[in-house]
Structure formats: structure tokens, C-alpha cells
mmCIF file of all heavy atoms in Angstrom:
data_model
loop_
_atom_site.group_PDB
_atom_site.id
_atom_site.type_symbol
_atom_site.label_atom_id
_atom_site.label_comp_id
_atom_site.label_asym_id
_atom_site.label_seq_id
_atom_site.Cartn_x
_atom_site.Cartn_y
_atom_site.Cartn_z
ATOM 1 N N PRO A 18 71.635 202.855 1.231
ATOM 2 C CA PRO A 18 70.297 202.346 0.890
ATOM 3 C C PRO A 18 70.114 200.954 1.405
ATOM 4 O O PRO A 18 71.098 200.230 1.529
ATOM 5 C CB PRO A 18 70.280 202.376 -0.623
ATOM 6 C CG PRO A 18 71.737 202.469 -1.071
ATOM 7 C CD PRO A 18 72.434 203.150 0.096
ATOM 8 N N ALA A 19 68.906 200.585 1.773
ATOM 9 C CA ALA A 19 68.639 199.222 2.258
ATOM 10 C C ALA A 19 69.015 198.214 1.196
ATOM 11 O O ALA A 19 68.751 198.389 -0.008
ATOM 12 C CB ALA A 19 67.199 199.068 2.615
ATOM 13 N N ILE A 20 69.690 197.152 1.613
ATOM 14 C CA ILE A 20 70.067 196.120 0.701
ATOM 15 C C ILE A 20 68.815 195.225 0.494
ATOM 16 O O ILE A 20 68.193 194.793 1.453
ATOM 17 C CB ILE A 20 71.235 195.346 1.258
ATOM 18 C CG1 ILE A 20 72.434 196.270 1.404
ATOM 19 C CG2 ILE A 20 71.561 194.150 0.380
ATOM 20 C CD1 ILE A 20 73.606 195.652 2.092
ATOM 21 N N ASN A 21 68.552 194.936 -0.762
ATOM 22 C CA ASN A 21 67.439 194.026 -1.037
ATOM 23 C C ASN A 21 67.805 192.616 -0.510
ATOM 24 O O ASN A 21 68.904 192.181 -0.718
ATOM 25 C CB ASN A 21 67.162 193.967 -2.527
ATOM 26 C CG ASN A 21 66.581 195.272 -3.037
ATOM 27 O OD1 ASN A 21 65.938 195.983 -2.338
ATOM 28 N ND2 ASN A 21 66.814 195.533 -4.317
ATOM 29 N N PRO A 22 66.843 191.977 0.119
ATOM 30 C CA PRO A 22 67.192 190.671 0.620
ATOM 31 C C PRO A 22 67.452 189.725 -0.561
ATOM 32 O O PRO A 22 66.849 189.837 -1.606
ATOM 33 C CB PRO A 22 65.891 190.205 1.324
ATOM 34 C CG PRO A 22 64.817 191.127 0.797
ATOM 35 C CD PRO A 22 65.479 192.376 0.361
ATOM 36 N N VAL A 23 68.428 188.832 -0.343
ATOM 37 C CA VAL A 23 68.777 187.880 -1.384
ATOM 38 C C VAL A 23 67.709 186.791 -1.412
ATOM 39 O O VAL A 23 67.337 186.263 -0.385
ATOM 40 C CB VAL A 23 70.193 187.285 -1.056
ATOM 41 C CG1 VAL A 23 70.494 186.162 -2.073
ATOM 42 C CG2 VAL A 23 71.224 188.320 -1.031
ATOM 43 N N LEU A 24 67.176 186.585 -2.597
ATOM 44 C CA LEU A 24 66.248 185.489 -2.741
ATOM 45 C C LEU A 24 66.948 184.159 -2.809
ATOM 46 O O LEU A 24 67.910 183.980 -3.600
ATOM 47 C CB LEU A 24 65.402 185.642 -4.059
ATOM 48 C CG LEU A 24 64.508 186.817 -4.060
ATOM 49 C CD1 LEU A 24 63.805 186.975 -5.411
ATOM 50 C CD2 LEU A 24 63.396 186.699 -2.977
ATOM 51 N N ARG A 25 66.609 183.273 -1.950
ATOM 52 C CA ARG A 25 67.160 181.915 -1.930
ATOM 53 C C ARG A 25 66.311 180.977 -2.722
ATOM 54 O O ARG A 25 65.109 181.025 -2.588
ATOM 55 C CB ARG A 25 67.342 181.396 -0.504
ATOM 56 C CG ARG A 25 68.321 182.198 0.319
ATOM 57 C CD ARG A 25 68.515 181.558 1.678
ATOM 58 N NE ARG A 25 67.252 181.442 2.354
ATOM 59 C CZ ARG A 25 66.974 180.462 3.270
ATOM 60 N NH1 ARG A 25 67.870 179.571 3.579
ATOM 61 N NH2 ARG A 25 65.811 180.410 3.867
ATOM 62 N N PRO A 26 66.926 180.147 -3.551
ATOM 63 C CA PRO A 26 66.126 179.182 -4.230
ATOM 64 C C PRO A 26 65.495 178.210 -3.256
ATOM 65 O O PRO A 26 66.005 178.055 -2.123
ATOM 66 C CB PRO A 26 67.109 178.432 -5.152
ATOM 67 C CG PRO A 26 68.452 178.741 -4.575
ATOM 68 C CD PRO A 26 68.338 180.030 -3.829
ATOM 69 N N ARG A 27 64.388 177.545 -3.607
ATOM 70 C CA ARG A 27 63.763 176.610 -2.658
ATOM 71 C C ARG A 27 63.679 175.238 -3.332
ATOM 72 O O ARG A 27 63.492 175.100 -4.528
ATOM 73 C CB ARG A 27 62.386 177.132 -2.246
ATOM 74 C CG ARG A 27 61.340 177.145 -3.235
ATOM 75 C CD ARG A 27 60.061 177.830 -2.746
ATOM 76 N NE ARG A 27 58.865 177.742 -3.462
ATOM 77 C CZ ARG A 27 58.671 178.120 -4.725
ATOM 78 N NH1 ARG A 27 59.646 178.657 -5.400
ATOM 79 N NH2 ARG A 27 57.487 177.968 -5.296
ATOM 80 N N ILE A 28 63.853 174.262 -2.471
ATOM 81 C CA ILE A 28 63.695 172.886 -2.870
ATOM 82 C C ILE A 28 62.235 172.539 -2.701
ATOM 83 O O ILE A 28 61.641 172.671 -1.647
ATOM 84 C CB ILE A 28 64.568 171.902 -2.006
ATOM 85 C CG1 ILE A 28 66.046 172.218 -2.183
ATOM 86 C CG2 ILE A 28 64.222 170.448 -2.372
ATOM 87 C CD1 ILE A 28 66.938 171.456 -1.206
ATOM 88 N N VAL A 29 61.576 172.054 -3.828
ATOM 89 C CA VAL A 29 60.187 171.672 -3.812
ATOM 90 C C VAL A 29 60.130 170.156 -4.130
ATOM 91 O O VAL A 29 60.582 169.765 -5.204
ATOM 92 C CB VAL A 29 59.378 172.495 -4.797
ATOM 93 C CG1 VAL A 29 57.946 172.070 -4.830
ATOM 94 C CG2 VAL A 29 59.520 173.986 -4.473
ATOM 95 N N LEU A 30 59.586 169.426 -3.246
ATOM 96 C CA LEU A 30 59.475 167.988 -3.419
ATOM 97 C C LEU A 30 58.495 167.711 -4.635
ATOM 98 O O LEU A 30 57.436 168.396 -4.727
ATOM 99 C CB LEU A 30 58.924 167.259 -2.215
ATOM 100 C CG LEU A 30 59.893 167.294 -1.049
ATOM 101 C CD1 LEU A 30 59.212 166.736 0.241
ATOM 102 C CD2 LEU A 30 61.197 166.536 -1.349
ATOM 103 N N ALA A 31 58.885 166.785 -5.495
ATOM 104 C CA ALA A 31 58.100 166.523 -6.715
ATOM 105 C C ALA A 31 57.516 165.142 -6.712
ATOM 106 O O ALA A 31 56.536 164.868 -7.379
ATOM 107 C CB ALA A 31 58.949 166.737 -7.982
ATOM 108 N N GLY A 32 58.104 164.215 -5.991
ATOM 109 C CA GLY A 32 57.622 162.835 -5.950
ATOM 110 C C GLY A 32 58.387 161.980 -4.996
ATOM 111 O O GLY A 32 59.604 162.204 -4.797
ATOM 112 N N ILE A 33 57.718 160.987 -4.463
ATOM 113 C CA ILE A 33 58.359 159.995 -3.597
ATOM 114 C C ILE A 33 57.784 158.621 -3.980
ATOM 115 O O ILE A 33 56.601 158.418 -4.075
ATOM 116 C CB ILE A 33 58.024 160.296 -2.092
ATOM 117 C CG1 ILE A 33 58.527 161.673 -1.687
ATOM 118 C CG2 ILE A 33 58.606 159.203 -1.182
ATOM 119 C CD1 ILE A 33 58.061 162.126 -0.306
ATOM 120 N N THR A 34 58.708 157.678 -4.211
ATOM 121 C CA THR A 34 58.305 156.279 -4.541
ATOM 122 C C THR A 34 59.026 155.359 -3.641
ATOM 123 O O THR A 34 60.114 155.650 -3.181
ATOM 124 C CB THR A 34 58.617 155.996 -6.027
ATOM 125 O OG1 THR A 34 60.002 156.186 -6.292
ATOM 126 C CG2 THR A 34 57.813 156.899 -6.970
ATOM 127 N N ALA A 35 58.393 154.225 -3.460
ATOM 128 C CA ALA A 35 59.008 153.140 -2.632
ATOM 129 C C ALA A 35 59.431 152.028 -3.593
ATOM 130 O O ALA A 35 58.881 151.883 -4.690
ATOM 131 C CB ALA A 35 57.955 152.644 -1.636
ATOM 132 N N ASP A 36 60.332 151.205 -3.117
ATOM 133 C CA ASP A 36 60.725 150.003 -3.932
ATOM 134 C C ASP A 36 59.494 149.119 -4.149
ATOM 135 O O ASP A 36 58.478 149.179 -3.492
ATOM 136 C CB ASP A 36 61.840 149.231 -3.218
ATOM 137 C CG ASP A 36 61.388 148.757 -1.856
ATOM 138 O OD1 ASP A 36 61.528 149.490 -0.860
ATOM 139 O OD2 ASP A 36 60.853 147.589 -1.751
ATOM 140 N N ALA A 37 59.599 148.295 -5.157
ATOM 141 C CA ALA A 37 58.471 147.475 -5.616
ATOM 142 C C ALA A 37 57.853 146.602 -4.509
ATOM 143 O O ALA A 37 56.636 146.456 -4.416
ATOM 144 C CB ALA A 37 58.903 146.607 -6.796
ATOM 145 N N VAL A 38 58.690 146.066 -3.609
ATOM 146 C CA VAL A 38 58.183 145.190 -2.580
ATOM 147 C C VAL A 38 57.328 145.952 -1.555
ATOM 148 O O VAL A 38 56.393 145.418 -1.005
ATOM 149 C CB VAL A 38 59.382 144.463 -1.872
ATOM 150 C CG1 VAL A 38 58.944 143.712 -0.654
ATOM 151 C CG2 VAL A 38 60.152 143.600 -2.847
ATOM 152 N N HIS A 39 57.666 147.233 -1.305
ATOM 153 C CA HIS A 39 56.963 148.010 -0.310
ATOM 154 C C HIS A 39 56.039 149.081 -0.831
ATOM 155 O O HIS A 39 55.503 149.888 -0.062
ATOM 156 C CB HIS A 39 58.020 148.653 0.639
ATOM 157 C CG HIS A 39 58.845 147.617 1.329
ATOM 158 N ND1 HIS A 39 60.051 147.217 0.858
ATOM 159 C CD2 HIS A 39 58.678 146.945 2.479
ATOM 160 C CE1 HIS A 39 60.604 146.323 1.663
ATOM 161 N NE2 HIS A 39 59.780 146.131 2.655
ATOM 162 N N ALA A 40 55.916 149.172 -2.140
ATOM 163 C CA ALA A 40 55.175 150.302 -2.751
ATOM 164 C C ALA A 40 53.719 150.371 -2.249
ATOM 165 O O ALA A 40 53.209 151.457 -2.016
ATOM 166 C CB ALA A 40 55.189 150.154 -4.275
ATOM 167 N N ASP A 41 53.106 149.251 -2.037
ATOM 168 C CA ASP A 41 51.668 149.283 -1.570
ATOM 169 C C ASP A 41 51.528 149.655 -0.102
ATOM 170 O O ASP A 41 50.399 149.925 0.370
ATOM 171 C CB ASP A 41 50.944 147.952 -1.836
ATOM 172 C CG ASP A 41 51.594 146.793 -1.087
ATOM 173 O OD1 ASP A 41 52.767 146.897 -0.714
ATOM 174 O OD2 ASP A 41 50.892 145.754 -0.900
ATOM 175 N N GLN A 42 52.627 149.803 0.656
ATOM 176 C CA GLN A 42 52.571 150.156 2.058
ATOM 177 C C GLN A 42 52.954 151.620 2.313
ATOM 178 O O GLN A 42 52.948 152.105 3.402
ATOM 179 C CB GLN A 42 53.495 149.234 2.875
ATOM 180 C CG GLN A 42 53.062 147.792 2.779
ATOM 181 C CD GLN A 42 54.149 146.880 3.300
ATOM 182 O OE1 GLN A 42 55.146 147.306 3.827
ATOM 183 N NE2 GLN A 42 53.950 145.589 3.079
ATOM 184 N N LEU A 43 53.217 152.351 1.184
ATOM 185 C CA LEU A 43 53.643 153.725 1.278
ATOM 186 C C LEU A 43 52.456 154.648 1.544
ATOM 187 O O LEU A 43 51.474 154.542 0.780
ATOM 188 C CB LEU A 43 54.389 154.141 0.034
ATOM 189 C CG LEU A 43 54.934 155.615 -0.058
ATOM 190 C CD1 LEU A 43 55.994 155.822 0.963
ATOM 191 C CD2 LEU A 43 55.469 155.881 -1.413
ATOM 192 N N VAL A 44 52.498 155.483 2.572
ATOM 193 C CA VAL A 44 51.384 156.371 2.848
ATOM 194 C C VAL A 44 51.981 157.802 2.812
ATOM 195 O O VAL A 44 52.945 158.135 3.542
ATOM 196 C CB VAL A 44 50.801 156.132 4.234
ATOM 197 C CG1 VAL A 44 49.678 157.161 4.545
ATOM 198 C CG2 VAL A 44 50.263 154.709 4.353
ATOM 199 N N LEU A 45 51.426 158.637 1.962
ATOM 200 C CA LEU A 45 51.820 160.057 1.822
ATOM 201 C C LEU A 45 50.763 160.948 2.288
ATOM 202 O O LEU A 45 49.571 160.807 1.877
ATOM 203 C CB LEU A 45 52.175 160.342 0.358
ATOM 204 C CG LEU A 45 53.259 159.569 -0.336
ATOM 205 C CD1 LEU A 45 53.394 159.904 -1.773
ATOM 206 C CD2 LEU A 45 54.597 159.684 0.362
ATOM 207 N N LYS A 46 51.104 161.921 3.171
ATOM 208 C CA LYS A 46 50.190 163.031 3.490
ATOM 209 C C LYS A 46 50.880 164.224 2.918
ATOM 210 O O LYS A 46 51.683 164.851 3.575
ATOM 211 C CB LYS A 46 50.039 163.126 5.006
ATOM 212 C CG LYS A 46 49.253 161.977 5.609
ATOM 213 C CD LYS A 46 49.077 162.244 7.096
ATOM 214 C CE LYS A 46 48.340 161.033 7.698
ATOM 215 N NZ LYS A 46 48.130 161.183 9.148
ATOM 216 N N GLY A 47 50.557 164.547 1.687
ATOM 217 C CA GLY A 47 51.335 165.555 0.980
ATOM 218 C C GLY A 47 52.694 164.877 0.658
ATOM 219 O O GLY A 47 52.814 163.634 0.699
ATOM 220 N N LEU A 48 53.637 165.668 0.357
ATOM 221 C CA LEU A 48 55.016 165.078 0.113
ATOM 222 C C LEU A 48 55.945 165.345 1.265
ATOM 223 O O LEU A 48 57.112 164.908 1.235
ATOM 224 C CB LEU A 48 55.594 165.670 -1.198
ATOM 225 C CG LEU A 48 54.833 165.248 -2.463
ATOM 226 C CD1 LEU A 48 55.432 165.965 -3.691
ATOM 227 C CD2 LEU A 48 54.927 163.710 -2.688
ATOM 228 N N ASN A 49 55.504 165.972 2.328
ATOM 229 C CA ASN A 49 56.384 166.302 3.433
ATOM 230 C C ASN A 49 56.138 165.353 4.631
ATOM 231 O O ASN A 49 56.878 165.482 5.615
ATOM 232 C CB ASN A 49 56.225 167.736 3.866
ATOM 233 C CG ASN A 49 56.537 168.725 2.775
ATOM 234 O OD1 ASN A 49 55.689 169.047 1.991
ATOM 235 N ND2 ASN A 49 57.789 169.118 2.711
ATOM 236 N N ASP A 50 55.170 164.446 4.505
ATOM 237 C CA ASP A 50 54.895 163.567 5.635
ATOM 238 C C ASP A 50 54.669 162.166 5.037
ATOM 239 O O ASP A 50 53.703 161.928 4.303
ATOM 240 C CB ASP A 50 53.575 164.044 6.291
ATOM 241 C CG ASP A 50 53.205 163.241 7.503
ATOM 242 O OD1 ASP A 50 53.292 162.027 7.524
ATOM 243 O OD2 ASP A 50 52.816 163.905 8.543
ATOM 244 N N VAL A 51 55.643 161.305 5.313
ATOM 245 C CA VAL A 51 55.662 159.983 4.644
ATOM 246 C C VAL A 51 55.671 158.926 5.786
ATOM 247 O O VAL A 51 56.307 159.033 6.785
ATOM 248 C CB VAL A 51 56.978 159.812 3.850
ATOM 249 C CG1 VAL A 51 57.027 158.443 3.210
ATOM 250 C CG2 VAL A 51 57.117 160.951 2.853
ATOM 251 N N THR A 52 54.850 157.830 5.531
ATOM 252 C CA THR A 52 54.874 156.646 6.395
ATOM 253 C C THR A 52 55.156 155.438 5.504
ATOM 254 O O THR A 52 54.513 155.263 4.429
ATOM 255 C CB THR A 52 53.539 156.488 7.127
ATOM 256 O OG1 THR A 52 53.222 157.651 7.889
ATOM 257 C CG2 THR A 52 53.554 155.269 8.075
ATOM 258 N N CYS A 53 56.111 154.634 5.996
ATOM 259 C CA CYS A 53 56.447 153.440 5.225
ATOM 260 C C CYS A 53 56.897 152.360 6.217
ATOM 261 O O CYS A 53 57.188 152.643 7.366
ATOM 262 C CB CYS A 53 57.505 153.711 4.144
ATOM 263 S SG CYS A 53 59.101 154.269 4.868
ATOM 264 N N SER A 54 57.005 151.118 5.729
ATOM 265 C CA SER A 54 57.398 150.064 6.659
ATOM 266 C C SER A 54 58.933 149.862 6.637
ATOM 267 O O SER A 54 59.602 150.232 5.682
ATOM 268 C CB SER A 54 56.671 148.773 6.273
ATOM 269 O OG SER A 54 56.988 148.420 4.930
ATOM 270 N N ALA A 55 59.433 149.334 7.717
ATOM 271 C CA ALA A 55 60.865 149.064 7.844
ATOM 272 C C ALA A 55 61.258 148.138 6.690
ATOM 273 O O ALA A 55 60.522 147.266 6.266
ATOM 274 C CB ALA A 55 61.186 148.406 9.140
#
């Protein structure tokens, strides 16, 4: 019989924060696309 594919758990991003000095320069396009300063 065909083996049922194994379900793999998935990592789902829940939040991204920047340190206090750079927090106002953080740009998020969703949680998978981040722009921040050096």
C-alpha cells in the first residue's frame, strides 16, 4: 500500500523586533521580508 506522506512541522514566523536604537528604522513586508539599517 502507498505510504502516507509524513507531515513535517512548519516554522511560522510570529514576530520580529529591532533593538531600541534601530526600532524606528525597521521595515517589515510581512514577516518574511525585512529591511533594517546596519
Side-chain angles (χ1 to χ4, degrees):
I20 298 172
N21 291 333
V23 175
L24 292 176
R25 292 184 304 150
R27 69 187 192 300
I28 297 173
V29 177
L30 295 172
I33 300 172
T34 58
D36 61 271
V38 173
H39 299 93
D41 62 337
Q42 299 165 8
L43 180 64
V44 177
L45 301 175
K46 291 184 181 177
L48 292 175
N49 299 88
D50 185 316
V51 179
T52 301
C53 63
S54 59

